[in-house]
Amino acid sequence: MNMIAPIDTTQNVVPDASHPPVKRWTRWQKRTAIIVPIAIAGVIGVKLFDHSDAVAAAPPPAPVTIATPLVREISEWDDYVGRFAPSRTVEVRPRVAGEVTGVHFRDGEVVKQGQLLFTIDSRPFAAALAEARANEASAQSALVLARNDLGRATRLIADDAVSAGEIDALRGKLQAAQAALAAAQARVRARALDVSFTQIRAPIGGRISDRRVDPGNQVAGGEGTGGTVLTTINALDPIYFTFDGSEALFLKTQRARQPGAAAPAVEIQLQDETSHRWKGKLDFTDNGLDTHSGTIRGRAVLANPGLFLTPGMFGNMRLASAGTKPALLVPDDAVQTDQARKILLTVDANNVVTPKPVMLGAVVDGMRVIRSGVGPTDRIIIKGTQMAMPGAKVAPTVGKIVASADTAAPTAQPIAGEATLSGH
């Protein structure tokens, strides 16, 4: 059987002139021919994708509102922290010793001057008063007798019935009787005072504390601090506000004070209040600075007709500075914080945001006084500060800081913590 042999394709075929040789690619060449165009297309696609993202990532300039600082005449205040104190305070003590028999007030109530507070057993003192009055009557009788004896002897002088020595003796007895009567009358007054001291009355009007002694207890009497403390009374109308001021603020106040000027006005704000509603005036400054703390003690006096203000309460006091002065004001919310600095974001001629450190002053009608760092022609960002980045361009819109309708010089609220002060 004839078999057909397989064709060996690996054998080289001798080309002839009419048939040119066929070029055959290896497997690696075929794979390379496919991968390289795909890779080139991928690189081109990535480049195009990156370029489109870069174009999309560039945001338009942030819209902001700018304005120049408002220039106004203001009256500034210096800030102090202190506490209220009674204008007068009294420790109620008995003048005589004895047993407390009655308490005639409620703890913590307002009492009037002369109101009965305590009573002490008066029987021993009433007995002593009766004895003194008996001695006074005896002295009075002795005085009458001495006067009558001298009168009879004087009528006998013309008849030479009595000697001059006897007359002198009778006159001496009369003078002694007069002195004895005066002493007896003094003892009566002293014993009467003791009886009156058994009724202990309020020496001043004000709010009374609680009773320290209940009825039935024995108390010691005496002058000064020798007696037992029964209670205390604080006079609250008017009331004092005491504070300590730094040497720098004291010097500032002294230099600004005009000779013969009225006492500076003060305004006080309580801890739960939003405004300085309590009005008063400065009435006392100590005669020297404390050598340890470098502060000086001051005091203001305020009317307190409703007795709402209570000794020991803290308050923030502002003391009016003399006169008014021009100041730059910006909205308080335009002030930014950069670590420990306060800054304002400004816009230059190229609409680029430039931060400027500033020194702050008081708050006036919701606007912040700028003491230094910017000028009256600087363009301050007053709206859109959250979107404005330092060094970036913005799209500014010109705005205006509107002044208060009140034409009078506004009141500057003090800066919290501006002065290093402590309550007294």
Side-chain angles (χ1 to χ4, degrees), residues 33 39 100 108 157 164 212 215 238 253 298 322 330 350-351 397 422 424:
V100 177
I157 292 178
R212 309 288 177 84
T253 304
V330 300
N350 297 321
N351 293 337
T397 301
S422 60
H424 178 70

Side-chain angles (χ1 to χ4, degrees), residues 104-365:
H104 308 281
F105 67 93
R106 292 193 303 271
D107 295 346
E109 73 174 356
V110 177
V111 298
K112 298 180 179 179
Q113 185 176 4
Q115 180 177 331
L116 181 63
L117 304 178
F118 296 90
T119 54
I120 296 176
D121 187 5
S122 62
R123 292 174 298 177
F125 305 101
L129 176 59
E131 181 182 3
R133 285 175 175 170
N135 292 333
E136 179 188 17
S138 176
Q140 182 71 40
S141 176
L143 176 61
V144 171
L145 179 59
R147 184 177 291 113
N148 292 336
D149 290 343
L150 180 60
R152 285 192 295 268
T154 302
R155 290 193 297 270
L156 296 175
I157 292 178
D159 299 334
D160 293 331
V162 291
S163 64
E166 291 176 341
I167 294 296
D168 293 338
L170 291 174
R171 286 176 178 169
K173 288 181 180 180
L174 176 61
Q175 293 174 352
Q178 291 173 338
L181 177 60
Q185 291 172 340
R187 284 192 293 270
V188 169
R189 289 193 297 269
R191 298 299 177 263
L193 280 176
D194 289 343
V195 173
S196 67
F197 290 155
T198 61
Q199 293 186 341
I200 302 172
R201 300 182 179 274
I204 62 172
R207 190 176 299 278
I208 197 168
S209 182
D210 60 336
R211 62 185 184 276
R212 309 288 177 84
V213 176
D214 291 318
N217 287 282
Q218 296 285 333
V219 295
E223 301 294 334
T225 59
T228 304
V229 177
L230 302 179
T231 187
T232 58
I233 302 175
N234 288 332
L236 304 182
D237 185 24
I239 193 170
Y240 289 152
F241 183 85
T242 61
F243 60 93
D244 290 340
S246 66
E247 183 175 353
L249 289 179
F250 173 72
L251 290 174
K252 175 184 175 182
T253 304
Q254 288 293 96
R255 297 184 190 282
R257 182 175 299 173
Q258 299 296 329
V266 301
E267 297 181 356
I268 298 175
Q269 174 187 353
L270 303 183
Q271 291 186 357
D272 63 342
E273 296 177 341
T274 57
S275 62
H276 295 70
R277 59 182 295 260
W278 302 96
K279 314 297 182 182
K281 62 180 181 180
L282 187 70
D283 79 324
F284 166 75
T285 302
D286 209 350
N287 58 359
L289 278 77
D290 188 288
T291 57
H292 299 287
S293 63
T295 59
I296 189 167
R297 186 167 58 95
R299 187 182 70 198
V301 60
L302 297 84
N304 187 27
L307 306 184
F308 177 81
L309 300 175
T310 303
M313 293 172 58
F314 279 96
N316 296 319
M317 187 195 81
R318 59 188 190 185
L319 177 65
S321 301
T324 61
K325 62 180 180 180
L328 301 180
L329 293 90
V330 300
D332 197 28
D333 53 7
V335 180
Q336 306 294 307
T337 301
D338 180 15
Q339 296 182 353
R341 303 184 306 170
K342 297 295 183 181
I343 62 172
L344 286 175
L345 299 180
T346 63
V347 177
D348 61 14
N350 297 321
N351 293 337
V352 176
V353 178
T354 303
K356 291 187 177 183
V358 293
M359 181 178 295
L360 302 182
V363 173
V364 180
D365 298 336

Side-chain angles (χ1 to χ4, degrees), residues 58-84:
V64 297
T65 303
I66 61 174
T68 56
L70 179 65
V71 181
R72 294 188 68 183
E73 292 284 334
I74 65 169
S75 176
E76 289 200 37
W77 301 71
D78 293 321
D79 187 25
Y80 300 85
V81 178
R83 64 173 64 195
F84 291 94

